[in-house]
């Protein structure tokens, strides 16, 4: 099994080898008949694709992939989503202060996808895996501290 994972802006495969069975796990992709994102386009959502007819292809060619970002997280400075500063993200952020948001996060709402929150900048320090749902305080995600300095989504496609 080959697993391609991305949590950063690097999320495209302009030249992708032909494959016979794949599983899309979390998020959606656009598959293209030709290299370089050209030719017929196919929406590949979470599921199994073991034959070219599974993606409603015109033929068996699927030579490039592009990620469709469908991940969203909202960090709240206040506990229980009360009034105060918040930031909504749909891509990796190595330092929450770059989004004019402080390092104290007391509640989180994961709208889509799975995210990893880190206590340190640049995806370092203690990690917390956040699945879709509501986290009313830092104990809800297993932390003793409310410090979140960086976050990134977990996105992957598995080729079997």
């Amino acid at each position: 099994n080959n697993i391609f994972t991305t949590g950063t802006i690097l999320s495209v495969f302009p030249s992708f080898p032909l494959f016979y069975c794949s599983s899309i796990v979390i998020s959606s992709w656009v598959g293209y008949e030709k290299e370089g994102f050209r030719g017929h386009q196919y929406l590949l959502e979470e599921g199994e694709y073991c034959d070219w007819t599974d993606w409603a292809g015109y033929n068996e060619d699927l030579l490039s992939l592009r990620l469709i970002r469908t991940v969203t997280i909202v960090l709240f400075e206040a506990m229980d989503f009360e009034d105060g500063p918040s930031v909504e993200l749909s891509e990796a952020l190595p330092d929450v202060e770059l989004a004019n948001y402080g390092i104290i996060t007391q509640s989180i709402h994961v709208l889509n996808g799975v995210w990893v929150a880190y206590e340190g900048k640049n995806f370092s320090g203690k990690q917390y895996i956040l699945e879709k749902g509501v986290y009313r305080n830092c104990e809800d995600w297993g932390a003793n501290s409310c410090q979140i300095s960086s976050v990134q989504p977990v996105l992957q496609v598995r080729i079997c």
Side-chain angles (χ1 to χ4, degrees), residues 5-8 25-27 67 71 112-118 128-130 151-156:
T5 302
T6 178
T8 62
V25 183
I26 303 173
S27 201
L67 176 67
V71 293
N112 305 90
V114 176
W115 290 76
V116 182
Y118 301 84
Y128 305 100
I129 308 304
L130 305 169
V151 294
Q152 68 179 337
V154 176
L155 306 171
Q156 63 181 225

Side-chain angles (χ1 to χ4, degrees), residues 119-139:
E119 284 189 0
K121 294 179 182 178
N122 297 313
F123 318 114
S124 65
K126 288 187 178 178
Q127 303 176 25
Y128 305 100
I129 308 304
L130 305 169
E131 298 184 69
K132 184 177 179 178
V134 172
Y135 301 84
R136 298 191 179 284
N137 56 59
C138 61
E139 290 84 20

Side-chain angles (χ1 to χ4, degrees), residues 73-77 85-87 89 96 101 105 107-108 148 151:
I73 188 170
V74 184
L75 307 178
F76 296 86
E77 197 171 274
S86 66
V87 64
L89 304 168
V96 295
Y101 181 81
T105 296
S107 53
I108 298 173
I148 299 293
V151 294

Side-chain angles (χ1 to χ4, degrees), residues 5-112:
T5 302
T6 178
T8 62
I9 294 172
L10 180 61
S11 61
V12 294
F13 301 99
S15 179
F16 189 77
L18 176 66
F19 62 93
Y20 295 103
C21 181
S22 71
S23 298
I24 302 295
V25 183
I26 303 173
S27 201
S28 298
W29 297 75
V30 177
Y32 295 85
E33 173 189 31
K34 298 178 182 178
E35 291 183 14
F37 315 117
R38 297 179 299 113
H40 293 289
Q41 300 175 17
Y42 310 104
L43 177 63
L44 303 173
E45 297 181 294
E46 187 172 335
E48 295 285 325
Y49 299 91
C50 291
D51 184 86
W52 59 275
T53 58
D54 293 341
W55 65 77
Y58 288 96
N59 56 46
E60 64 183 19
D61 294 337
L62 187 63
L63 298 178
S64 55
L65 288 173
R66 180 177 57 82
L67 176 67
I68 299 173
R69 294 196 180 274
T70 57
V71 293
T72 310
I73 188 170
V74 184
L75 307 178
F76 296 86
E77 197 171 274
M79 226 180 341
D80 240 351
F81 315 105
E82 294 176 12
D83 288 338
S86 66
V87 64
E88 183 173 321
L89 304 168
S90 60
E91 62 185 29
L93 186 62
D95 181 354
V96 295
E97 292 177 324
L98 294 173
N100 296 319
Y101 181 81
I103 62 170
I104 300 301
T105 296
Q106 295 193 68
S107 53
I108 298 173
H109 187 184
V110 177
L111 299 165
N112 305 90

